[in-house]
């Protein structure tokens, strides 16, 4: 894939010296507001969410190549990131309208790719919920939507990170065994679609192709959807599905399971280019924030949070491959 020198330089700022993306994600909004406000009266949820993100950014970005934040609650935290750490900003509205079919995407109303770049970001990130088997009426709308964002990013010369979260319109629980059995095809086919050059996507942020809780040998309760060999084959198929750089999201699993996932991906031969890891790194700090305030959460981040990210970095360094093998200027 060929990109502009400006986009290339932005990707460099988002990456380690080895050109691997080892990024921290804290662009959660609705879910984080609920976690912080649960069980109590909150006078200023805006400031509480901003303050929590500030602590995560200030304490953990010295160990990250970049951080993903959102313009609604994350700009103060962006200003506190460590020197030289790259910045991605989310462009989508949080969540989706549950009263309408299709999980249709929506942009933040007061933002554009140009404004995101002017805020000091090195990349635009957009989250798309996608079911390859949904009606063409719905999926064509989503495809056109992503084309628009791709051209918008191309016009202002900023990298476009597309995050794809798959689902099935007829299965409510994406964590169920039923969905686990069909997840590999959903993930792999979605990656194939949005790897087309018409979208001008520079990096795909994707789920791993299996639910690790249903892989034989990794399952907690013994329920399995795939053998280890089958899971490894899906990792390899996913890697072959795109010529674009791609990075894994942690999808809220535990840090221990996420690290095991990366090791399995490497063993399978997957050529992934890093991670954008969120809740697995910092989630437990929220309860300390709720119970003991900013000081308590920062103490947790300085100890367990730092341990989480440093141990993940070691795994990423030994499992991911440089993205510049897939890109030319």
């Amino acid at each position: 894939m060929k990109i502009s020198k400006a986009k290339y330089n932005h990707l460099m700022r988002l990456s380690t010296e080895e050109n691997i993306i080892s990024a921290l994600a804290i662009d959660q909004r609705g879910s984080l507001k609920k976690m912080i406000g649960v069980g109590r009266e909150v006078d200023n949820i805006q400031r509480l969410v901003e303050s929590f993100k500030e602590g995560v950014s200030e304490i953990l970005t010295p160990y990250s190549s970049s951080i993903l934040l959102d313009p609604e609650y994350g700009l103060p935290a962006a200003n506190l990131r460590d020197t030289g750490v790259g910045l991605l900003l989310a462009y989508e509205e949080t969540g989706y309208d549950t009263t309408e079919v299709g999980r249709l995407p929506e942009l933040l109303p007061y933002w554009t790719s140009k404004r995101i770049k002017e805020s000091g970001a090195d990349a635009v990130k957009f989250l798309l919920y996608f079911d390859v088997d949904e009606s063409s009426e719905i999926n064509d709308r989503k495809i056109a939507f992503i084309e628009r964002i791709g051209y918008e990013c191309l016009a202002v010369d900023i990298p476009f990170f597309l995050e794809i979260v798959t689902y099935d319109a007829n299965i409510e629980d994406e964590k169920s065994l039923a969905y686990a059995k069909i997840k590999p095809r959903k993930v792999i086919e979605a990656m194939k679609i949005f790897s087309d050059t018409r979208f001008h996507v520079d990096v795909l942020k994707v789920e791993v192709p299996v639910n690790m809780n249903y892989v034989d040998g990794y399952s907690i309760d013994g329920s399995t959807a795939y053998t280890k060999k089958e899971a490894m084959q899906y990792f390899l198929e996913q890697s072959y599905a795109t010529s674009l750089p791609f990075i894994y999201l942690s999808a809220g699993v535990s840090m221990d399971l996420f690290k095991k996932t990366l090791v399995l991906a490497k063993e399978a031969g997957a050529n992934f280019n890093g991670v954008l890891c969120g809740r697995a790194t910092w989630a437990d700090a929220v309860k300390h924030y709720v119970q003991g305030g900013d000081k308590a959460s920062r103490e947790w981040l300085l100890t367990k949070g730092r341990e989480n990210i440093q141990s993940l970095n070691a795994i990423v360094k030994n499992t991911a491959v440089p993205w510049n093998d897939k890109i030319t200027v």
Side-chain angles (χ1 to χ4, degrees):
M1 182 179 77
K2 190 170 184 177
I3 63 172
S4 70
K5 182 64 175 178
K7 280 194 174 191
Y8 191 92
N9 288 340
H10 280 298
L11 288 177
M12 293 280 285
R13 285 195 287 272
L14 294 165
S15 308
T16 66
E17 292 180 356
E18 295 80 20
N19 289 331
I20 290 169
I21 296 169
S22 186
L24 175 66
I26 184 165
D27 61 326
Q28 288 80 358
R29 285 154 275 174
S31 60
L32 190 53
K33 283 169 65 177
K34 290 178 182 178
M35 292 166 71
I36 290 174
V38 67
R40 59 176 180 159
E41 292 292 326
V42 176
D43 294 328
N44 190 347
I45 191 66
Q46 173 82 27
R47 183 59 199 139
L48 286 174
V49 174
E50 287 177 349
S51 175
F52 180 76
K53 293 188 180 215
E54 286 172 356
V56 172
S57 179
E58 189 172 5
I59 293 170
L60 297 184
T61 53
Y63 313 101
S64 305
S65 69
S66 44
I67 185 170
L68 167 63
L69 288 159
D70 60 280
E72 294 175 286
Y73 300 91
L75 294 181
N79 293 330
L80 293 176
R81 71 188 190 277
D82 198 55
T83 303
V85 170
L87 174 65
L88 306 96
L89 284 179
Y91 194 11
E92 77 279 352
E93 284 273 21
T94 186
Y96 54 86
D97 186 352
T98 58
T99 64
E100 187 175 11
V101 298
R103 305 190 189 187
L104 296 172
E106 191 172 353
L107 295 172
L108 290 172
Y110 302 108
W111 287 86
T112 64
S113 295
K114 182 175 178 63
R115 292 183 179 190
I116 286 174
K117 185 176 182 179
E118 289 173 342
S119 296
D122 293 295
V124 170
K125 189 276 297 186
F126 188 82
L127 166 61
L128 179 72
Y129 293 97
F130 196 76
D131 175 8
V132 68
D133 298 308
E134 202 145 36
S135 71
S136 59
E137 179 184 0
I138 289 172
N139 283 349
D140 283 350
R141 288 176 66 179
K142 293 181 179 181
I143 286 169
F145 202 96
I146 300 305
E147 285 178 8
R148 293 188 193 106
I149 299 173
Y151 274 98
E152 191 179 325
C153 292
L154 188 68
V156 297
D157 224 1
I158 189 171
F160 177 21
F161 280 56
L162 177 61
E163 177 179 2
I164 305 171
V165 174
T166 61
Y167 67 97
D168 185 280
N170 299 310
I171 299 176
E172 290 188 9
D173 185 5
E174 278 88 46
K175 296 182 179 180
S176 67
L177 177 60
Y179 186 71
K181 291 178 178 179
I182 61 175
K183 181 180 179 180
R185 191 181 69 84
K186 299 278 190 181
V187 172
I188 292 167
E189 292 305 313
M191 286 180 66
K192 289 179 180 178
I193 290 171
F194 292 103
S195 294
D196 193 292
T197 55
R198 70 186 295 121
F199 299 106
H200 297 285
V201 172
D202 298 293
V203 177
L204 288 170
K205 179 187 177 190
V206 294
E207 304 161 287
V208 299
V210 297
N211 184 330
M212 289 293 293
N213 288 309
Y214 294 108
V215 177
D216 187 30
Y218 298 83
S219 173
I220 296 174
D221 63 4
S223 300
T224 59
Y226 352 78
T227 65
K228 181 179 177 181
K229 183 178 180 180
E230 288 170 337
M232 291 173 67
Q233 182 60 35
Y234 287 132
F235 274 105
L236 195 57
E237 287 179 23
Q238 179 187 39
S239 187
Y240 287 143
T242 184
S243 59
L244 297 177
F246 70 96
I247 58 178
Y248 289 132
L249 57 95
S250 58
V253 303
S254 70
M255 179 57 72
D256 182 60
L257 183 57
F258 190 50
K259 289 189 291 187
K260 289 178 180 178
T261 302
L262 300 182
V263 171
L264 184 61
K266 173 68 173 180
E267 186 179 347
N271 289 318
F272 69 100
N273 306 106
V275 299
L276 239 171
C277 183
R279 286 167 289 173
T281 304
W282 51 259
D284 286 348
V286 179
K287 65 182 178 183
H288 293 277
Y289 187 71
V290 171
Q291 296 169 2
D294 187 61
K295 181 180 179 181
S297 69
R298 284 173 175 265
E299 287 176 353
W300 187 93
L301 290 166
L302 281 165
T303 52
K304 185 60 179 176
R306 182 170 62 182
E307 178 186 318
N308 280 344
I309 201 165
Q310 288 181 316
S311 64
L312 178 62
N313 286 343
I315 297 291
V316 171
K317 187 173 183 178
N318 290 323
T319 55
V321 299
W323 52 259
N324 58 315
D325 290 346
K326 302 176 180 179
I327 289 179
T328 58
V329 179

